[in-house]
């Protein structure tokens, strides 16, 4: 399906209206997974033309993402990655975990950005950062699109490597599903139970009577319902 390439429009607007000189695009991956971290990338691109074919990572094939990511890593002015672990997700909730990962990604940049373009409609970053949220920013903004591809490829690689050296977790097929609830992943969970890399506060355990005793309860019923709604997204 044809798509409009991303542009520097939002970045130019931020520069003109706020005086920002360094603008970072920020995107996350792993929010809806049942296992593994949530990963955030912050990318600074300036106003240069990006490599051909750049768009939201979800619109690219795995092969094209893998080809594009190293090109982007050498093309961007700078990028930083941040992760929040399954334990942090369980302990603090997804919104706080996203902020942890995003701050870690921004702190990994060599220079502090003057402003941040954040994919989506919800500002999970907040003060003291100057944030512009953009719905579908990973499709429309060059810096956010670059961040989305780098984050996706890095996290997918991390998930594929989980236990690979020791032959652990092969039944979960993390290399294929990146921790998302694929049929193979669901079947392995039912048979073997969660690994140390699973999020234990999530509602998938409610459907696994054999393993329900492992569930961590931290949220109120209302908050848990909101969090479980986020589990329905598939982006692998």
């Amino acid at each position: 399906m044809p798509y409009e390439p991303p542009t520097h429009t939002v970045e130019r607007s931020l520069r003109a209206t706020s005086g920002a000189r360094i603008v970072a695009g920020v995107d996350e991956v792993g929010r809806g997974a049942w296992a593994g971290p949530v990963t955030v990338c912050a990318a600074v691109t300036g106003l240069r033309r990006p490599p051909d074919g750049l768009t939201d990572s979800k619109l690219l094939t795995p092969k094209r993402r893998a080809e594009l990511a190293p090109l982007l890593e050498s093309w961007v002015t700078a990028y930083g990655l941040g992760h929040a672990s399954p334990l942090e997700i369980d302990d603090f909730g997804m919104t706080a975990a996203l902020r942890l990962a995003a701050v870690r990604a921004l702190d990994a940049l060599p220079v502090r950005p003057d402003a941040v373009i954040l994919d989506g409609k919800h500002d999970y970053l907040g003060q003291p950062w100057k944030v512009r949220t953009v719905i579908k920013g990973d499709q429309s903004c060059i810096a956010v699109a670059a961040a989305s591809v780098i984050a996706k490829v890095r996290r997918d690689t991390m998930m594929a490597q989980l236990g690979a050296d020791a032959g652990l977790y092969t039944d979960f097929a993390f290399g294929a599903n990146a921790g998302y609830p694929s049929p193979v992943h669901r079947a392995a969970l039912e048979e073997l139970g969660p690994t140390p890399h699973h999020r234990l506060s999530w509602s998938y355990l409610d459907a696994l009577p054999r393993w329900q005793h492992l569930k961590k309860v931290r949220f109120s019923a209302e908050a848990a319902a909101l969090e479980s709604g986020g589990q329905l997204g598939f982006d692998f």
Side-chain angles (χ1 to χ4, degrees):
M1 173 181 283
Y3 52 82
E4 290 294 322
T7 68
H8 288 301
T9 300
V10 176
E11 186 171 340
R12 291 181 189 277
S13 172
L14 275 171
R15 286 169 174 247
T17 58
S18 71
R21 294 182 303 108
I22 301 173
V23 179
V26 171
D27 198 18
E28 56 77 24
V29 64
R31 187 197 300 245
W34 288 0
V38 62
T39 296
V40 173
C41 180
V44 178
T45 65
L47 298 175
R48 292 173 299 134
R49 179 176 176 173
D52 290 341
L54 176 63
T55 187
D56 171 16
S57 64
K58 294 186 291 297
L59 299 179
L60 300 170
T61 64
K63 181 176 183 292
R64 181 56 183 149
R65 282 197 299 263
E67 293 170 345
L68 194 55
L71 296 178
L72 290 169
E73 289 177 10
S74 60
W75 169 78
V76 296
T77 304
Y79 73 93
L81 286 157
H83 311 279
S85 69
L87 181 60
E88 289 171 324
I89 293 168
D90 286 337
D91 284 347
F92 306 129
M94 181 53 76
T95 299
L98 280 170
R99 187 175 195 279
L100 272 176
V103 169
R104 288 165 179 166
L106 289 163
D107 284 347
L109 292 172
V111 181
R112 182 182 176 93
D114 302 309
V116 173
I117 304 171
L118 191 62
D119 180 52
K121 63 180 179 180
H122 174 58
D123 177 9
Y124 56 76
L125 192 54
Q127 296 295 329
W129 303 93
K130 183 179 294 182
V131 175
R132 172 80 60 86
T133 57
V134 178
I135 296 173
K136 294 189 177 180
D138 47 9
Q139 295 182 34
S140 62
C141 302
I142 286 174
V144 180
S148 79
V149 173
I150 294 171
K152 174 65 174 168
V153 172
R154 285 296 190 95
R155 185 181 181 278
D156 283 358
T157 300
M158 289 172 57
M159 294 303 297
Q161 291 173 343
L162 282 183
D165 292 343
L168 300 175
Y169 318 129
T170 55
D171 291 325
F172 292 88
F174 288 145
N177 60 52
Y180 285 82
S182 69
V184 171
H185 188 173
R186 292 173 187 268
L189 267 172
E190 187 169 359
E191 177 64 25
L192 302 172
T195 72
H197 303 287
H198 279 87
R199 304 168 187 182
L200 298 181
S201 60
W202 288 47
S203 62
Y204 68 84
L205 280 170
D206 294 338
L208 301 172
R210 187 176 169 191
W211 309 106
Q212 279 182 5
H213 64 286
L214 298 176
K215 186 173 182 179
K216 294 182 66 172
V217 178
R218 192 197 68 86
F219 302 114
S220 67
E222 180 180 0
L226 290 172
E227 287 290 341
S228 66
Q231 297 177 34
L232 301 180
F234 292 75
D235 65 0
F236 59 86

